[in-house]
Amino acid sequence: MFPNRIIRTRAGLYRLYSTLKVPHVEINGINYKTDPKITNVTDSIIKLTGRSLHLKESHPVGILRDLIEKKLNSVDNTFKIFNNFKPVVTTMENFDSLGFPKDHPGRSKSDTYYINETHLLRTHTSAHELECFEKIRNDADNIKSGFLISADVYRRDEIDKTHYPVFHQMEGATIWRRTKANEGAKEPTYIEKIREDIRQVEDQLNKENVKITVDDDTIPLKEYNPKQEYMSDLEVDLCSQHLKRSVELIVSEVFNKKISSMVKNKANNTPKELKVRWINAYFPWTAPSWEIEVWWQGEWLELCGCGLIRQDVLLRAGYKPSETIGWAFGLGLDRIAMLLFEIPDIRLLWSSDERFSKQFSKGLITSFKPYSKHPGSFRDVAFWLPKDKLDVHQVHENDLMEIIRNIAGDLVESVKLVDSFTHPKTGRKSMCYRINYQSMDRNLTNAEVNALQDMVCSKLVKDYSVELR
Ligand code: FA5
Ligand code: MG
């Protein structure tokens, strides 16, 4: 896999690509070859691949996952559950199987953790859609089938209270098999079935204490969010209704649980209504596609992307042409968990401190009681970007985040760009980032913070040839 030149001069490889150390990495007990030109997954990220917070019964993410699974399956128990997929997937699974164009930004090294050219840490649970559609293909006796997948997903991203390089998603999908009409019936059996399925979800929605108000002007479909040729207008209408009501049921269940607990605790900011809105969206493997947002404590919060599954995906999963129609959604769990359990910083979800973990129990939505707020201490790093040197790559913001994460890990609360300008005479560009060091478990000493900051600065100079100011 490696050019001979590099294998023979291994010391050279160390020097050039010091973050890799060896040309292999072990993830979940499997050895993967690394590729110096491509690999950007780091030890600090690999350490998180075995945590499986979504499977922990008394962890906020696990409690939320369980709550949603139970609610969705309370309607008619059609969702098969797959919660044990390992995070390393192929580029085929994560992108190609879903029809991502070759130049889609989601594939870029600045956003995705690559292990080598063919393997990466999944960036979304949709990476397992094809496999799950294959798994349910042979439930041929049922008109309707479905699945739910929950897993950890990985994205190179900024550092602050609501962003972490690992978060959790739940993927859901439902399919109906097209069947002919029974003798004397007005409509084919599967159409009658979908109508009945919608009624069942609506019944559940009507049982909620605080009824959800839905703002949806995404229908009629616009040109940029078109329906697929192979589906009739009626099918699109019914499938979308079932999808949207099912997603609303999740939101309604979860936020009603929260509202009840706020009422019980006489919280003074208890909302009197529950508002969501639908927005047109684009995903390569669904058409039409939407996102849903919820109005919570004065802000619109994006919860979930979804749409009607493109027939190509079903064909790739071995379905016959025109045999099946259906929908899929992908829901982020961490931010919902944070507001349900009132967790102020996303790093807490990863804390092993018992003062955190002991606060939660299976099936219960309780408010997190902060055990301490340790003071933070910030340091600025200002530097000139290299100019006219084609051999050094410019620093992508996510590369800087990665350096900081590797050196200081969870001791960093946030990193913000505070200044950037181009020198009018020399044309050189200067950047200044503010790193806020703050531990959730203890006080940091000045000496400790200085040492971390020195390491960050040297690494930045070494890897990206920037000039510190
Ligand atoms: C997706 O990941 C698609 N796979 C969703 C999908 C599935 C669409 C099936 C169609 C069919 P998106 O990147 O928007 O889409 O992420 C989905 C949800 O994950 C978001 O709505 C949000 O709730 C959550 N999410 C995304 N990025 C982050 C992040 N950095 N931190 C926490 N949650 C996030
Ligand atoms: Mg989105």
Side-chain angles (χ1 to χ4, degrees), residues 277-291:
R277 68 177 181 195
W278 285 101
I279 292 171
N280 283 309
Y282 170 78
F283 300 102
W285 65 102
T286 53
S289 312
W290 301 279
E291 278 181 345

Side-chain angles (χ1 to χ4, degrees), residues 98 100 123-127 129 153 155 157 162-164 166-172 282-283 285-286 289-292 301-308 327-336 346:
L98 298 164
F100 275 74
T123 61
H124 55 176
T125 41
S126 304
E129 265 194 24
V153 303
R155 293 186 195 176
D157 216 329
T162 59
H163 287 85
Y164 205 74
V166 195
F167 59 99
H168 299 81
Q169 286 186 336
M170 181 188 284
E171 192 89 1
Y282 170 78
F283 300 102
W285 65 102
T286 53
S289 312
W290 301 279
E291 278 181 345
I292 190 173
L301 184 78
E302 181 195 322
L303 297 181
C304 169
C306 62
L308 307 190
W327 56 248
F329 70 73
L331 176 82
L333 294 173
D334 306 59
R335 288 181 192 158
I336 307 180
I346 196 162

Side-chain angles (χ1 to χ4, degrees), residues 193-468:
K193 168 87 177 118
I194 306 177
R195 288 192 196 281
E196 176 54 28
D197 291 333
I198 297 171
R199 270 193 295 276
Q200 284 191 3
V201 183
E202 283 174 347
D203 280 351
Q204 294 279 331
L205 272 167
N206 286 332
K207 284 186 197 146
E208 300 284 1
N209 260 340
V210 179
K211 302 278 177 298
I212 196 163
T213 318
V214 181
D215 177 2
D216 186 356
D217 59 8
T218 64
I219 304 273
L221 303 175
K222 308 224 169 61
E223 252 162 61
Y224 58 83
N225 199 5
K227 80 171 192 71
Q228 301 173 66
E229 278 293 314
Y230 94 110
M231 292 180 73
S232 70
D233 288 351
L234 175 66
E235 285 176 331
V236 172
D237 178 42
L238 293 178
C239 252
S240 326
Q241 280 194 53
H242 189 266
L243 164 61
K244 287 179 172 174
R245 296 303 88 76
S246 302
V247 171
E248 287 160 15
L249 181 63
I250 299 175
V251 179
S252 183
E253 167 75 2
V254 164
F255 287 86
N256 260 291
K257 276 250 160 35
K258 178 65 187 168
I259 293 173
S260 317
S261 95
M262 291 172 90
V263 169
K264 213 167 92 197
N265 297 329
K266 303 196 171 66
N268 51 14
N269 52 350
T270 308
K272 303 214 164 33
E273 55 166 4
L274 191 51
K275 254 193 321 192
V276 294
R277 68 177 181 195
W278 285 101
I279 292 171
N280 283 309
Y282 170 78
F283 300 102
W285 65 102
T286 53
S289 312
W290 301 279
E291 278 181 345
I292 190 173
E293 297 184 339
V294 64
W295 182 253
W296 189 256
Q297 311 290 9
E299 273 185 309
W300 287 110
L301 184 78
E302 181 195 322
L303 297 181
C304 169
C306 62
L308 307 190
I309 304 149
R310 276 193 187 270
Q311 182 171 225
D312 330 356
V313 177
L314 296 169
L315 296 181
R316 274 181 217 119
Y319 291 74
K320 294 192 194 74
S322 305
E323 181 187 46
T324 317
I325 56 174
W327 56 248
F329 70 73
L331 176 82
L333 294 173
D334 306 59
R335 288 181 192 158
I336 307 180
M338 284 174 74
L339 60 89
L340 282 188
F341 295 88
E342 294 176 28
I343 295 166
D345 188 315
I346 196 162
R347 288 176 295 165
L348 282 163
L349 293 175
W350 296 88
S351 166
S352 310
D353 194 317
E354 288 200 339
R355 287 174 296 176
F356 177 79
S357 53
K358 286 261 162 80
Q359 291 198 26
F360 308 100
S361 16
K362 191 177 176 207
L364 293 180
I365 296 191
T366 46
S367 302
F368 169 67
K369 312 241 172 350
Y371 36 86
S372 57
K373 168 86 180 156
H374 298 278
S377 165
F378 70 80
R379 298 286 186 281
D380 288 348
V381 51
F383 52 87
W384 296 107
L385 288 175
K387 199 185 161 228
D388 300 334
K389 275 197 197 164
L390 294 175
D391 55 324
V392 270
H393 32 283
Q394 294 279 326
V395 201
H396 187 287
E397 189 165 285
N398 284 346
D399 296 327
L400 171 70
M401 300 293 168
E402 215 48 47
I403 288 180
I404 297 170
R405 237 194 289 282
N406 256 337
I407 290 169
D410 285 356
L411 298 179
V412 173
E413 185 245 13
S414 63
V415 180
K416 283 191 196 81
L417 179 66
V418 286
D419 188 37
S420 84
F421 72 93
T422 305
H423 193 283
K425 288 221 178 80
T426 63
R428 290 178 85 189
K429 190 165 186 203
S430 158
M431 316 285 281
C432 178
Y433 285 90
R434 178 159 297 174
I435 310 176
N436 191 28
Y437 294 90
Q438 189 247 341
S439 162
M440 283 166 307
D441 315 321
R442 61 193 176 85
N443 286 333
L444 296 176
T445 64
N446 260 327
E448 200 175 356
V449 173
N450 290 340
L452 290 170
Q453 179 73 1
D454 284 350
M455 283 194 272
V456 168
C457 292
S458 336
K459 184 77 179 145
L460 198 56
V461 170
K462 184 161 167 255
D463 288 4
Y464 294 98
S465 307
V466 303
E467 189 189 323
L468 298 176

